[in-house]
Amino acid sequence: MQWIKKGQIYNDCHAQVPVVDTQHDGFWRVYFSKRISRGPSLPFYIDVEAGNPSNILATSNEPILQPGARGTFDWAGVMPTEIITIGSTKYLFYIGWSNRHDVPYHNNLGLAISTDGGITWKKFSDGPVLATSYKEPGYVGTISIIKENELYYGYYLSCRQWEEIDNRIEPIYDIKIATSDNLIDWTPLNVTAIGLAEDEGGISKASVLQLNGQYFMWYAVRKSADYRENPQNSYRIKCATSSDLIHWEKTELLGLDINQSPSWEDQMVEYPHVFEFKDQIYMFYNGNGFGDTGFGYAILSH
């Protein structure tokens, strides 16, 4: 099996971290964040034809959520990272951005809820649902959630270290595991699902899927320095497998690389969102500039 790239779908104002809700009739709603005039990240969506996402049916003109009040965890930006539908209720997990003086920024995870099919959204609380604590001393970023029996497993970006590299303060992060029985109260396990290799500096945006009795996790990984514009060190999408959702083994198979010819994804590929629809596996992902060139998709050949 391998990924077949199908091309760019959408590119407008830094469209970053696409998250797909397939629970609609005839269309998918793709949530993402964009930066208008290089301002804060704000959440928008587009609707695309189900199974043919290159056909854009509708776009949102206004953000679905606004940043919080000054002093709250999400006052500097709101970025969707996962959506879960249970019955008639949709749970949208988002990254709340805030600024600091000692390091460039800080992230925690917030939650918004919709009870009308995603037409309107309301923040669950003024504070985050998964955040810095004695169980997670760093910052908390992207998350992917899967349910097994009566427990939800969340695979989240965990940054517990910053380093000064080439005169820049750089975050060092991997993927750790938290669990919940209600999608609101999360317990970090202090277990690393996907760790860093010696020359790596960041692993972001896990996406977990169960296929044929086995669990697969796709994620984006970069080197520790000179990764913003150097294709040799920038993000690539990799894969890992597990039989128990706790212990994960990296594989060289089923990853996604950059294009070798000039294109929207010839420097980096990152932030995968993988899902199954009518026996076909799809991956939405970003390209150059951490989403500056928008997002596209690929399908998994059998």
Side-chain angles (χ1 to χ4, degrees):
M1 296 188 295
Q2 64 178 352
W3 290 104
I4 306 299
K5 293 182 178 181
K6 305 299 285 187
Q8 186 186 52
I9 299 172
Y10 182 81
N11 176 23
D12 182 36
C13 297
H14 203 103
Q16 192 172 14
V17 189
V19 178
V20 185
D21 181 6
T22 63
Q23 303 302 304
H24 293 278
D25 186 14
F27 70 93
W28 299 338
R29 179 154 291 178
V30 187
Y31 296 91
F32 58 93
S33 70
K34 66 179 181 179
R35 302 172 185 172
I36 300 174
S37 300
R38 298 295 176 178
S41 293
L42 296 173
F44 290 78
Y45 68 81
I46 62 171
D47 292 339
V48 300
E49 181 183 347
N52 181 28
S54 295
N55 182 20
I56 298 175
L57 305 175
T59 61
S60 57
N61 296 321
E62 300 292 334
I64 62 169
L65 294 168
Q66 293 290 340
R70 184 172 292 275
T72 57
F73 80 103
D74 59 353
W75 81 272
V78 173
M79 178 180 289
T81 180
E82 176 67 295
I83 188 164
I84 304 291
T85 301
I86 301 177
S88 60
T89 303
K90 293 182 182 294
Y91 298 79
L92 182 67
F93 293 83
Y94 67 89
I95 304 163
W97 290 77
S98 59
N99 298 328
R100 289 175 53 159
H101 290 292
D102 55 339
V103 293
Y105 62 87
H106 195 80
N107 291 156
N108 289 302
L109 282 174
L111 172 64
I113 294 177
S114 175
T115 57
D116 58 9
I119 297 174
T120 60
W121 292 90
K122 182 178 180 181
K123 292 180 182 179
F124 171 74
S125 63
D126 292 332
V129 293
L130 181 55
T132 303
S133 69
Y134 75 96
K135 291 185 177 181
E136 177 48 73
Y139 79 65
V140 175
T142 56
I143 193 169
S144 177
I145 299 169
I146 189 170
K147 187 178 183 182
E148 176 66 21
N149 297 321
E150 297 304 312
L151 198 62
Y152 295 96
Y153 290 78
Y155 300 89
Y156 66 95
L157 182 157
S158 170
C159 176
R160 301 185 178 183
Q161 182 182 355
W162 293 79
E163 293 183 0
E164 184 171 350
I165 304 174
D166 297 334
N167 297 316
R168 299 188 70 150
I169 304 299
E170 299 282 11
I172 309 298
Y173 43 80
D174 56 21
I175 300 295
K176 289 188 168 57
I177 308 172
T179 58
S180 173
D181 60 7
N182 61 6
L183 289 175
I184 294 170
D185 303 296
W186 289 90
T187 301
L189 303 184
N190 198 30
V191 171
T192 299
I194 308 293
L196 295 167
E198 184 175 352
D199 61 343
E200 294 172 349
I203 302 176
S204 177
K205 188 57 180 73
S207 188
V208 180
L209 193 64
Q210 184 181 25
L211 296 172
N212 301 321
Q214 189 175 27
Y215 299 100
F216 292 80
M217 181 192 298
W218 285 270
Y219 57 91
V221 58
R222 62 166 175 80
K223 304 300 184 182
S224 59
D226 191 26
Y227 58 86
R228 290 172 177 83
E229 297 180 355
N230 184 349
Q232 300 301 315
N233 297 336
S234 61
Y235 273 119
R236 299 293 192 276
I237 294 173
K238 300 291 187 178
C239 185
T241 61
S242 174
S243 60
D244 62 4
L245 292 174
I246 298 294
H247 304 92
W248 293 85
E249 183 175 349
K250 297 177 182 178
T251 174
E252 293 301 316
L253 304 175
L254 300 181
L256 193 75
D257 208 342
I258 62 174
N259 284 355
Q260 297 303 313
S261 56
S263 72
W264 69 282
E265 53 176 325
D266 60 357
Q267 293 183 350
M268 63 178 71
V269 288
E270 68 281 346
Y271 312 142
H273 183 84
V274 181
F275 59 95
E276 186 173 12
F277 183 80
K278 293 185 177 179
D279 298 324
Q280 178 66 65
I281 309 300
Y282 295 81
M283 176 194 291
F284 278 55
Y285 64 96
N286 283 124
N288 298 346
F290 313 99
D292 195 41
T293 58
F295 55 82
Y297 79 106
I299 59 174
L300 191 63
S301 67
H302 296 286

